[in-house]
Amino acid sequence: MSTASRLPQFVGRLASKLPVTVDSTVRRLAVLSLIGQTVLVVTGGAVRLTASGLGCPTWPRCTNNSLVNTPEMGIHGFIEFGNRLLTFALAAVAALMLVYLWNLRKERKDLFLLALGLLASIPAQAIIGGITVLTQLNPWVVGLHFLVSMALVVFATLLVNRAYGRTGGFRTRPLASLPGVLRPVMTAVALFSAIAVMLGVVVTGAGPHAGDANAPRNNLDWDLFSHIHAVPAYLVTAGTLLAVYFVFRRGISGIFRTAVLMLLGVTVLQAVIGFTQYYNGIPALLVGAHMLGAALLMAVATNAADIARSSPVG
């Protein structure tokens, strides 16, 4: 029997062993995707904040003669190449997720398309990372690299919610009725969170942590854009406090209450980190914490808006 004729049989045997319902493995892979995307934000921040942005001075190779970093490149090469390797690990998780969803690709298009989007975005992210290196850390390209990571955090959050039946058309978890005003409020909070993150990218491009001593800056007024960046952050805080008021006023329980309290916690944490770094000379460690906070903010804001959208109004 030829190899070509054996392939359909192999695929058929493999498909017969794959789940036909959303099982614990699918859920774990969804959570792993979200954790991995968040860790990628942290390692990407470490690359920039340790001035390792050109630790691998070219792309797709690490050097002109080596695919990997060499001992002569020191810690900067190790940090930069480690960040590149994480991208391959995330691609493997996304590909495995698609394999496990194969028998559900028609019934659960929501999960399959989200997983496909994650997989398709990862090589795109790698290419943007390559352009970042080839342009000697152009701040606008660096910012785009970060924003794509934020979008992937959003996709992964939605994937987790759908996999656990918390939201969407295949919801299995009961949701408390919400006042009608909370749907647009939580949508606005998610939108203003995204705007705050985008403006944060502009602030970062004007700041001192360029990823390399010779990397260009965007030459904008850092102090001015720091204050502009704070405006949507204030709106996120206001929307979150309004949601907290309704949660306790109406005695709303369940996962929406948890989502709002998580949103409040992350919002307060981001505010504390933001003000502290502003008044203390933007230390690298706090900048890294603020980047992690940005990823967490996008996750919890997406989660709260997603749950509010799926909840009955009453």
Side-chain angles (χ1 to χ4, degrees), residues 230 234 268-281 286 290:
Y234 292 143
V268 170
L269 179 63
Q270 273 293 77
V272 170
I273 295 172
F275 281 115
T276 304
Q277 69 174 4
Y278 179 85
Y279 289 108
N280 288 276
L286 286 182
H290 207 45

Side-chain angles (χ1 to χ4, degrees), residues 166-192:
R166 293 156 54 92
T167 61
F170 294 87
R171 179 169 57 86
T172 58
R173 299 280 298 273
L175 294 175
S177 296
L178 304 181
V181 69
L182 281 181
R183 279 190 183 180
V185 166
M186 300 320 297
T187 299
V189 166
L191 176 62
F192 286 126

Side-chain angles (χ1 to χ4, degrees), residues 185-209:
V185 166
M186 300 320 297
T187 299
V189 166
L191 176 62
F192 286 126
S193 296
I195 294 173
V197 168
M198 287 188 282
L199 288 172
V201 165
V202 177
V203 174
T204 298
H209 302 292

